[in-house]
């Protein structure tokens, strides 16, 4: 969610009970603006918070002119001092998927990587390295996983230019209440997968400038999203059951929308059996 609109946005997304104390909101509001200035980001989003056993990670994302370009991610343990995270790699994501249990809240904490194949183990031992994963790497990979799986935007909020870059749509005035209640009106803000498999006939009704991402209606498993009206029916709230703690909000007929994550950073692997 947009750093400049943080207090109001947190109020709209707080229906699930998660949120920040007034002190944390005040500190974050000031430190994120300084973060934007110091790193010269065009925009800063407050991504959310991953709660560990001994502490919490507060996450921010910095964006440049092209909104689809890789984002710079930073974390803080106190909402004041921020540290830049390394870019996520596929190796990090694969390794993090093998880890179970809560985060510790210590970036230097090392997990024993037990489920490792013989070839990788041999290579690590030849290099004189123990098969260990730092919590910082797991943090990077988990944020990447959550963004790919449940980081969403309303249809029409962004436009794809003829040159391939993605920009904010200045003419976007929000979805109507009817459209806002449909999963097909929301897109995954990541590289599309299902769109590439559609036939030319299916693509005929799509607008290439706005319909360049995958919609939520075909997410697997079916039923992994809940759609609710809150604040007297003035706010549409989507919650992910796959990554518990991810909340997206949109005020119909306005430009107000965003998502935030407050959770333990653990995927709900039991969801297919719960539906």
């Amino acid at each position: 969610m947009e750093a400049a609109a943080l207090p109001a946005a947190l109020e709209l997304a707080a229906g699930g009970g998660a949120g920040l104390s007034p002190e944390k909101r005040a500190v974050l509001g000031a430190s994120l603006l300084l973060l934007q200035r110091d790193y010269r980001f065009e925009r800063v989003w407050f991504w959310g918070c991953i709660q560990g056993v001994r502490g919490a990670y507060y996450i921010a994302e910095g964006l440049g002119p092209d909104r689809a370009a890789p984002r710079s991610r930073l974390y803080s343990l106190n909402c004041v001092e921020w540290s830049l995270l390394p870019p996520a790699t596929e190796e990090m994501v694969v390794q993090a998927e093998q880890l179970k249990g809560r985060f510790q809240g210590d970036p230097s904490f090392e997990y024993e990587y037990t489920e490792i194949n013989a070839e990788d183990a041999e290579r690590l031992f030849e290099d004189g390295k123990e098969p260990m994963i730092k919590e910082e790497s797991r943090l990077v990979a988990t944020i990447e996983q959550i963004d790919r799986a449940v980081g969403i935007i309303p249809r029409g909020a962004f436009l794809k230019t003829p040159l391939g870059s993605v920009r904010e749509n200045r003419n976007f005035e929000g979805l109507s209440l009817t459209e806002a209640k449909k999963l097909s009106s929301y897109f995954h803000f990541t590289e599309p997968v299902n769109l590439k498999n559609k036939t030319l006939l299916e693509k005929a009704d799509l607008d290439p400038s706005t319909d360049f991402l995958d919609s939520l209606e075909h997410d697997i498993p079916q039923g992994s999203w809940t759609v609710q009206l809150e604040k007297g029916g003035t706010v549409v709230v989507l919650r992910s059951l796959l990554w518990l703690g991810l909340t997206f909000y949109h005020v119909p007929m306005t430009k107000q929308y965003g998502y935030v994550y407050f959770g333990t950073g653990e995927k709900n692997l039991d969801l297919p059996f719960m539906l």
Side-chain angles (χ1 to χ4, degrees), residues 176-240:
S176 67
L177 183 58
T178 305
E179 290 296 314
K181 292 188 283 187
K182 299 177 183 176
L183 283 179
S184 57
S185 299
Y186 301 96
F187 292 154
H188 288 282
F189 198 33
T190 186
E191 190 68 26
V193 176
N194 297 331
L195 188 66
K196 296 175 182 177
N197 300 326
K198 287 190 175 183
T199 63
L200 290 175
L201 192 60
E202 289 174 317
K203 291 180 180 179
D205 295 330
L206 301 180
D207 184 341
S209 65
T210 56
D211 301 317
F212 57 94
L213 299 168
D214 289 334
S215 75
L216 270 60
E217 61 181 332
H218 301 301
D219 278 15
I220 299 173
Q222 286 284 336
S224 60
W225 290 95
T226 67
V227 182
Q228 297 171 314
L229 289 175
E230 296 186 358
K231 307 286 184 184
T234 59
V235 183
V236 178
V237 176
L238 278 69
R239 292 189 176 89
S240 172

Side-chain angles (χ1 to χ4, degrees), residues 12 19 27 35 38 46 93 122 125 127 130 149 165 170 173 181 184 188 196 200 224 228 231 233 249 251 257 266 271:
L12 294 172
V27 172
L35 190 70
D38 294 344
F46 175 63
V93 174
E122 187 178 339
F125 283 123
D127 295 341
E130 292 285 336
S165 62
R170 295 185 180 181
E173 293 296 337
K181 292 188 283 187
S184 57
H188 288 282
K196 296 175 182 177
L200 290 175
S224 60
Q228 297 171 314
K231 307 286 184 184
Y249 74 92
V251 182
Y257 68 88
E266 296 173 284
L271 180 60

Side-chain angles (χ1 to χ4, degrees), residues 116 118-131:
I116 188 169
E119 186 180 329
D120 288 343
E122 187 178 339
R123 177 172 53 80
L124 285 168
F125 283 123
E126 282 178 1
D127 295 341
K129 297 177 182 175
E130 292 285 336

